[in-house]
Amino acid sequence: MRLKAFSLLIMAIPLLSFGGTQLMFHSPDLAEPHYKICFSFDSPADTTFFESLSLNGEPFDQFIILQAGNKQDNASPLKKGETTFWLDYVWKNKTKYKVILNYKLGQTGKKKKASYSATSPEKGGLSIANPLFHRVFIVEETAGLARENELVYLTFTVPEKLLAAEKLVLFDGDTSLPFQIIDQHTSVPPEKVRHSHPITNTIKLAAQLDIEPGEKKLLLLMEGNDFRQASAGFEINGEGLGKTVKNDQLSLEFHPQSGQINIIENVKEGIKLWNEIGVIHWNPGCYIPGVAWDHSFDWNPPDTLEEISGNLLYLNSRRGLLPHIKEIFLEVKYALTRNAPYFIVETKMNLQQNLGTVALRNDEMVLYSKLFDSLVYQNQTGECVQLPLKEIPGRPFGIVHVAPDNLDWVGLLNTEKQFGFFCVRINYVNMNLDAPGDFLNQQGTYFYAPAGGKYAYWVRPLYYTWAKHLTSNHFTYAPAGSIFYEKNAYIILPLTPGYAQTLNNLLAQLRNPLWVH
């Protein structure tokens, strides 16, 4: 593995000690990804109380106190002996610094001062003005894959008084990276610890970067006015739930009633997908005879809609009870990244009461049957299984094939025009901690293409007596407290000889996001 050091703005150097009453300077490295100015204070007694600290004549409170490697409470007395003060500060090159430490012996003792000074090294700090705030993140590629324009999320916490979120700049080496602020929340500590725990803002942002297999990088985030953004990442048309969102490779049209995906288009390849009988994305959904076959596409509208759109990422999140089966709460989230040829779908179902059902299903993309002639999936041994889209005589509801549930990817193919639509299965969770054991019924990946219908689809059932003639009128028990979560990526690809490897690489990439710490 290799480290890409800060080439112009920052150069990693070790902790430099000047001894006695002098200061020590450190710049980020893999072992300690921080800027800091340190000094050693010899606490003269077990009743030494810290009072205040100044840096170059200005009060400074972004520091920690260490004794024997343990962090000390600033309001508690220090024990006798060596004490290290670590100032969280981005220092400038070749700059004089002076720290004054004010302390007293005992609660009512005489006030005293200790002074520390030094000139910082020629390299390792900044060549520009000192920001009040900084964070250094280690980013590691751990899956052995080259990443280009890889989306990475950085979450950090900063005292509220130090930073306005719009005054940030992010560096990879000496290159300023565009980024997008995704979320921000304030945390207020209890009053009794406010003296040592400041009010903070937790901020989540997204950035894109390139990284080589096994590479490690340091990213510097700091206060600054160079808040660079890429050009607008998306073309968005329409209003409310029925928007069309387009990046330079992919276009998604959402249905105005439910917000579910209505049309998918690979802009680069000129391939457009639709469904003659409704939306493309149907589920999550549940069938209770006598009540309804209820889907997320039946929302009209969902209880809540949240959208985030920026230069790098579009997020669309909808939540609410099923329209007719009120015992089930659904969440559906779509994510589209600038430059990405795929989109991410996350879904979650919560069963709030015990149910009797004949079908509870997810991962259902319903498409016009004339668009495809074959199904394909990669089984657990890595073999690609390809079969014609023809229903099995005597089997119910136009079923074509039943594959295992736990597949890496599945798809439908147009072998004449040489393209396919695929689902890459990143993660899923089926759980219930309240029920004794697993009640899932007829799991698998079911492919359907009724001969007399205008649609073809695959689906992942969870409870599914509907799958067989013999049991299709049998209600099966679905216990309260059940949670079903899925995260999948969907992509349209030309059927080149290496398309299966492309899907496997995408799966490896999405299951192994860059490690940020």
Side-chain angles (χ1 to χ4, degrees), residues 6-60:
F6 297 116
S7 55
L8 294 180
L9 184 67
I10 308 164
M11 294 183 66
I13 64 170
L15 189 67
L16 300 179
S17 174
F18 298 89
T21 59
Q22 296 206 1
L23 301 171
M24 299 171 284
F25 298 84
H26 178 80
S27 58
D29 57 29
L30 291 175
E32 286 195 63
H34 310 282
Y35 279 103
K36 58 185 178 181
I37 300 175
C38 298
F39 64 89
S40 180
F41 169 65
D42 188 13
S43 175
D46 284 345
T47 55
T48 302
F49 283 85
F50 163 79
E51 287 207 314
S52 64
L53 186 149
S54 66
L55 176 64
N56 283 358
E58 298 292 333
F60 190 84

Side-chain angles (χ1 to χ4, degrees), residues 10 24 51-52 100 116 122 129 145 160 164 184-185 223 246 254 258 284 300 314 332 339 368 422 424 449 458 502 504:
I10 308 164
M24 299 171 284
E51 287 207 314
S52 64
I100 301 294
Y116 303 84
E122 294 185 0
L145 299 170
E160 186 180 49
Q184 179 175 345
H185 295 279
E223 178 191 21
K246 179 181 176 182
F254 305 125
S258 63
N300 186 21
Y314 172 82
V332 180
N339 303 325
Y368 183 38
F422 302 93
V424 176
W458 70 78
T502 299
N504 289 330

Side-chain angles (χ1 to χ4, degrees), residues 333-349:
K333 181 190 288 185
Y334 298 143
L336 180 60
T337 304
R338 183 173 70 101
N339 303 325
Y342 59 87
F343 61 96
I344 302 289
V345 177
E346 290 182 87
T347 62
K348 187 171 73 170
M349 282 188 287

Side-chain angles (χ1 to χ4, degrees), residues 442-481:
Q442 296 293 326
Q443 285 182 277
T445 302
Y446 286 65
F447 293 87
Y448 289 90
K454 295 183 178 181
Y455 57 91
Y457 67 98
W458 70 78
V459 69
R460 288 185 69 184
L462 302 159
Y463 300 99
Y464 210 41
T465 53
W466 189 76
K468 297 179 179 179
H469 281 309
L470 181 63
T471 60
S472 62
N473 64 341
H474 293 183
F475 281 69
T476 187
Y477 173 65

Side-chain angles (χ1 to χ4, degrees), residues 361-365 375-380 387 395 399-412 423 425 428 441-448 457-462 464 467 486 488:
R361 311 195 304 184
N362 207 349
D363 185 24
E364 183 176 3
M365 294 285 180
L375 67 88
V376 68
Y377 60 90
Q378 181 172 273
N379 64 20
Q380 287 87 342
L387 298 168
R395 295 290 296 276
I399 196 166
V400 173
H401 181 69
V402 179
D405 174 62
N406 190 22
L407 299 174
D408 286 339
W409 53 262
V410 303
L412 298 177
C423 170
R425 292 173 169 173
Y428 73 94
N441 181 293
Q442 296 293 326
Q443 285 182 277
T445 302
Y446 286 65
F447 293 87
Y448 289 90
Y457 67 98
W458 70 78
V459 69
R460 288 185 69 184
L462 302 159
Y464 210 41
E486 289 191 21
N488 302 318

Side-chain angles (χ1 to χ4, degrees), residues 20 39-45 48-50 65-67 78-85 101-105 112-114 116:
F39 64 89
S40 180
F41 169 65
D42 188 13
S43 175
T48 302
F49 283 85
F50 163 79
I65 304 173
L66 299 171
Q67 285 194 319
L78 300 174
K79 295 180 180 180
K80 182 178 181 179
E82 184 176 358
T83 305
T84 299
F85 282 74
L101 172 65
N102 298 295
Y103 66 98
K104 61 183 179 181
L105 299 179
K112 295 189 175 185
K113 293 184 178 180
Y116 303 84

